[in-house]
Structure formats: structure tokens, C-alpha cells
Amino acid sequence: MGTEKIPDITISRLPIYLRALQRMAEKGLQTTSSQELGELVGVTAAQIRKDISQFGEFGKQGTGYNILFLIAQLREILKVNRIWDMAIIGAGDMGRALARYQGFLDRGFRVLTIFDKDAEKIGDKAGDFIIQDAARMVKKIRQAGIKVAMLTVPVAEAQEVTDQLVQAGVKAILNYAPINLTVPPDIHVQYMDPATHLQWMTYYL
Amino acid sequence: MGTEKIPDITISRLPIYLRALQRMAEKGLQTTSSQELGELVGVTAAQIRKDISQFGEFGKQGTGYNILFLIAQLREILKVNRIWDMAIIGAGDMGRALARYQGFLDRGFRVLTIFDKDAEKIGDKAGDFIIQDAARMVKKIRQAGIKVAMLTVPVAEAQEVTDQLVQAGVKAILNYAPINLTVPPDIHVQYMDPATHLQWMTYYL
DNA sequence: TAGATTGTTAATCGATTAACAATC
DNA sequence: TAGATTGTTAATCGATTAACAATC
């Protein structure tokens, strides 16, 4: 353990460990080992132990890790032992699919509102939400204190909307548009463009 | 240049370079430099030059890279200078959104068919496609020679469907279900679970 | 030519792995 | 106790960066 800076690459693996542990918990398993967890997520046992031990001594020699305890620890480390409110920007097919997705709540997230600039869509339903006018987006996001957004607008609008989100106080953006966003250094972006992820694989085919 | 094995991490950056170059080309730009491209995608100029030079000498001293030429080279390297047929498994909100997504074709992909096991859905339309019976999935995918699939089924079915996809000859899977898939070593999986990607960011908030 | 920028080398930096004492 | 598995150290491995000769 230590208080030195934890590498980004370690952080990026924790949600994957957490996801695997939650599947184990659903199956009713009580404990696991670095060996078993590593095989499940495709990393070495040493890697698992090294990553986890950056944050504390969560295992026991001889028996391994208590699954529920490790889940609780990882949720705390990742700050998903609470619920983050989210906004969806863009009520196209992808935005509406995310608005209806049921998998957020038990992972630490909740959709609070969805915006679109198209007058035809404003006022319509998307899941349980009424599509809001994007013209009021900055104000509403700021008032609600929303820090997390999912961006599903067309490429041509993505950077402009991103600038507005930053202005509104959003700190984390899940970007579905196929474009690199330019943001200040304290803003985090994850890219969810399916074509780019597919292209990571075709090289090997 | 060389014929040694190219690191995976280099390959993983190429689609991102390609995406940025395509945005530049749309803007009518002719050339770029490692400096400029690096700023756009958030890596150092040295990194860009090193990555690209693994595959050949595509730049010119003094002037940089011709954008259209570099796009063509990257598309060839990534094998997206052709069209890969894809199947979507699972005609829920996400599957149907992907079926209607217009962004695949000019990135090297095309949806050919969508499957679901729900009798209520089979025969319905999803985008331009008629939802097919999942019971005939293995046979149809094999006959069509499809190598790429997008998986949008519930967690409980994801591993079983994956095993069938592997059996059907699929080599690359874009997985939207929040579960680690176990696959043979020659099968490639990319994970597109939104909650996991969101959790990569909350640590820093 | 002068300025700019590549491709590449060598140095640095950081991450992974192997090994093992500690201990449940 | 004997067996199993952690947390951690040190060694290895690999990736990034800085620097610069080559050259457009």
C-alpha cells in the first residue's frame, strides 16, 4: 500500500474486476483468489494482487478474497458506492436506448434527464423521461449539479455541445460520437464509438 | 520500419488516428504533422511518428503527412479498406439502435442481419432488417461467412450466445453486455458496457 | 538556402512478472 | 500442522520520450 499516485492503467482495470466480482456474487460464491479472478478477466494473478494491494490489504493468505468485501472496497475506491446523476444529450436511437437502459442503477449511475435540440422531439417521451429543449441544457445541468453526461449527438455538433457541457460543470463525458473531443485537462472523456472499437479488431483478422 | 511484431497498444491507437484524420479530410485539409495530429488525439508527436513509422515511411520531412494518403495507408493496415459484414445478436433497444446506425459503412462495416430468440420480435423490422430467429443463427452466420458480431443480449445469455458465435466462425465480438466473455485465444472481444466505462472516470471526480 | 519535420536511436520511464517470506 | 495464497520486492520487460541526423 502507499499514498503515491496510482497508475491510470491500474484504475482502468478496477471496474473490470468489479464487474467480474459482481457476476461471482450473483452466482452465490463467497471467496475468490487472484488466480481465479485473473483467469476470468484475462490478466495474471500477480497483476490482480499488485493492483488491489495499491489500496489496502483486502485479502487473506491461504483463502484469498472475500467477494462481497472486495466489491464494497472497489465501489468505494471508484466512488460508485453512491448514485451519480447523468444527462443524455441527443435523443436519437442511441440516446433513447440509453434512456431506457436498466443496467445503470446498480452500478452507481442514474439517468436524470435527456436533451435534444429538435423541436419535433422536445416534449416526447424517451423511456421514463420527457425530452428537454437543449437550449436550456446548460442551465438545467448546472442547477441539478450533474457531473456526468452521455453524448449521443451527431459528429457535427459534438464539440460544440461538449463545450457547453464543460461550461455547465460536467466533469465526465461518455462520448458516442466518432470524434476526438477537445476538453480542459480536468474533464474526463471515454470514447464509445462502435466503429473505432471494431477497427481495433480487424487488424488481427 | 520492420517485420517484428507490432505492439497491441500501437494497433489500438491507429483507429483513433484514422478517425481524427477523417475529420481533418472532411474539413478539406491536405496535410498534417505529428505535432498537430498528436494535439488532436492527446498523444505526443514522438508517439505518433513512432507508431506510424512501424508500418512504413508515410511522411515527408519538412511538410509532414498527406492526409488522404495516410488515411488510405491506415485503412489498409487495419483491413478496413473493405466492407466487413456483421450480425447483431439481440433486438433490444441497443441492438435496434445499432441496426439503424448509419456510421458503419464508411468505416469498413455493414450490418447484414439481426437475431433474437423472442418469438414476439422475430419477423419484426429493425431498421432495414427483419429480425431473424436466433435458433437459426449459427447456420446463417456460417453460411454468410460473417466474422464480426455485435452482442446486445442480456447478461444471462451472453456467454452461451458467445459460444455459439465462436462455433459459427465469428472472430471478432463487440460486446455490449456487462460481463467478461470467455473465448478461445484467436477470438477478439471488445467491451462496450457503458457502466464500466463510466466507472473508469468516477475515480477521478 | 533556411526552416520545418520526419524516422530512428538511445535513454528514460513505467508496468509486468516471478519469486518468496509471511501467514491464514 | 500442511497447504494455499497473499502482499511485496527485485528483476525483467516493454513502452515512451528526447534528441538529432537526414532531407524535403
Side-chain angles (χ1 to χ4, degrees):
Chain A
M1 192 187 171
T3 46
E4 319 84 45
K5 191 176 179 305
I6 312 285
D8 287 352
I9 194 152
T10 294
I11 305 302
S12 74
R13 282 189 293 259
L14 299 186
I16 296 165
Y17 301 163
L18 179 55
R19 181 172 63 187
L21 289 162
Q22 282 175 325
R23 296 285 150 266
M24 288 179 174
E26 280 168 20
K27 286 185 184 166
L29 297 171
Q30 307 283 313
T31 60
T32 188
S33 64
S34 57
Q35 178 71 29
E36 186 181 49
L37 181 57
E39 278 168 16
L40 211 55
V41 302
V43 310
T44 63
Q47 180 81 270
I48 298 272
R49 293 201 301 279
K50 180 111 213 202
D51 285 344
I52 291 175
S53 69
Q54 307 263 316
F55 302 94
E57 305 196 354
F58 300 149
K60 268 206 189 105
Q61 288 100 326
T63 57
Y65 301 94
N66 178 293
I67 290 172
L68 290 181
F69 177 73
L70 189 52
I71 286 173
Q73 293 298 323
L74 290 178
R75 286 171 60 100
E76 187 178 333
I77 292 162
L78 292 171
K79 303 205 190 93
V80 290
N81 57 345
R82 65 173 98 174
I83 302 295
W84 293 90
D85 289 331
M86 296 191 293
I88 297 170
I89 327 300
D93 290 316
M94 186 60 67
R96 291 200 308 273
L98 290 171
R100 289 163 52 88
Y101 183 59
Q102 296 302 306
F104 288 124
L105 201 57
D106 67 354
R107 312 276 298 280
F109 302 94
R110 169 172 61 188
V111 174
L112 205 70
T113 177
I114 177 166
F115 296 95
D116 202 289
K117 71 171 198 181
D118 181 355
E120 294 279 308
K121 289 179 182 167
I122 296 165
D124 283 2
K125 278 267 199 156
D128 295 333
F129 311 98
I130 291 169
I131 298 169
Q132 304 291 316
D133 187 347
R136 282 180 237 152
M137 180 184 81
V138 171
K139 197 178 162 194
K140 286 198 173 174
I141 286 179
R142 192 182 285 133
Q143 280 179 351
I146 293 172
K147 299 295 169 206
V148 181
M150 296 189 283
L151 188 62
T152 62
V153 302
V155 163
E157 293 154 36
Q159 183 62 57
E160 188 188 341
V161 172
T162 297
D163 296 342
Q164 293 173 352
L165 290 173
V166 171
Q167 204 195 328
V170 164
K171 299 293 181 194
I173 299 172
L174 196 64
N175 174 30
Y176 284 80
I179 182 172
N180 281 89
L181 300 176
T182 301
V183 292
D186 63 322
I187 310 295
H188 300 270
V189 180
Q190 284 285 319
Y191 293 87
M192 292 289 277
D193 164 23
T196 298
H197 283 78
L198 288 165
Q199 289 176 345
W200 290 8
M201 297 190 283
T202 44
Y203 174 83
Y204 300 98
L205 297 186
Chain B
M1 190 183 170
T3 47
E4 318 83 48
K5 192 177 178 303
I6 312 285
D8 287 353
I9 194 153
T10 295
I11 304 302
S12 75
R13 282 189 292 260
L14 298 186
I16 296 166
Y17 301 163
L18 179 54
R19 180 172 63 187
L21 289 163
Q22 282 174 326
R23 296 286 151 265
M24 288 180 173
E26 280 168 19
K27 285 185 187 167
L29 298 171
Q30 307 283 311
T31 62
T32 188
S33 64
S34 57
Q35 178 72 29
E36 186 181 49
L37 181 56
E39 278 168 17
L40 211 55
V41 302
V43 311
T44 63
Q47 181 80 271
I48 299 271
R49 293 201 301 278
K50 181 111 212 203
D51 285 344
I52 292 175
S53 70
Q54 308 262 315
F55 301 96
E57 305 195 355
F58 300 149
K60 268 205 190 105
Q61 288 100 325
T63 56
Y65 301 94
N66 177 292
I67 290 172
L68 290 180
F69 177 73
L70 188 52
I71 286 173
Q73 294 297 323
L74 290 177
R75 286 171 60 100
E76 186 177 333
I77 292 162
L78 292 170
K79 304 204 190 94
V80 290
N81 57 344
R82 65 173 98 173
I83 303 295
W84 293 90
D85 288 331
M86 298 190 292
I88 298 170
I89 327 299
D93 289 317
M94 186 59 67
R96 290 200 308 274
L98 291 171
R100 289 162 52 87
Y101 183 59
Q102 296 302 305
F104 288 125
L105 200 57
D106 67 355
R107 313 276 298 280
F109 302 94
R110 170 172 60 188
V111 174
L112 206 69
T113 177
I114 177 166
F115 296 96
D116 202 289
K117 71 171 197 180
D118 181 355
E120 294 279 308
K121 288 179 182 168
I122 294 166
D124 283 1
K125 278 266 198 155
D128 295 334
F129 309 98
I130 291 169
I131 298 169
Q132 305 290 315
D133 187 347
R136 282 180 237 152
M137 181 184 79
V138 171
K139 196 176 162 195
K140 286 198 173 176
I141 286 180
R142 193 182 284 133
Q143 281 179 348
I146 292 171
K147 300 295 169 206
V148 181
M150 296 189 283
L151 188 62
T152 63
V153 302
V155 163
E157 293 154 36
Q159 184 62 57
E160 188 189 339
V161 172
T162 297
D163 296 343
Q164 293 172 351
L165 289 173
V166 171
Q167 203 195 328
V170 164
K171 300 292 181 194
I173 298 172
L174 196 64
N175 175 31
Y176 284 80
I179 183 173
N180 279 89
L181 300 176
T182 301
V183 292
D186 63 322
I187 310 295
H188 299 269
V189 180
Q190 284 286 317
Y191 292 87
M192 292 288 277
D193 164 22
T196 299
H197 283 78
L198 288 166
Q199 290 176 343
W200 290 8
M201 297 190 283
T202 44
Y203 174 83
Y204 300 97
L205 298 186

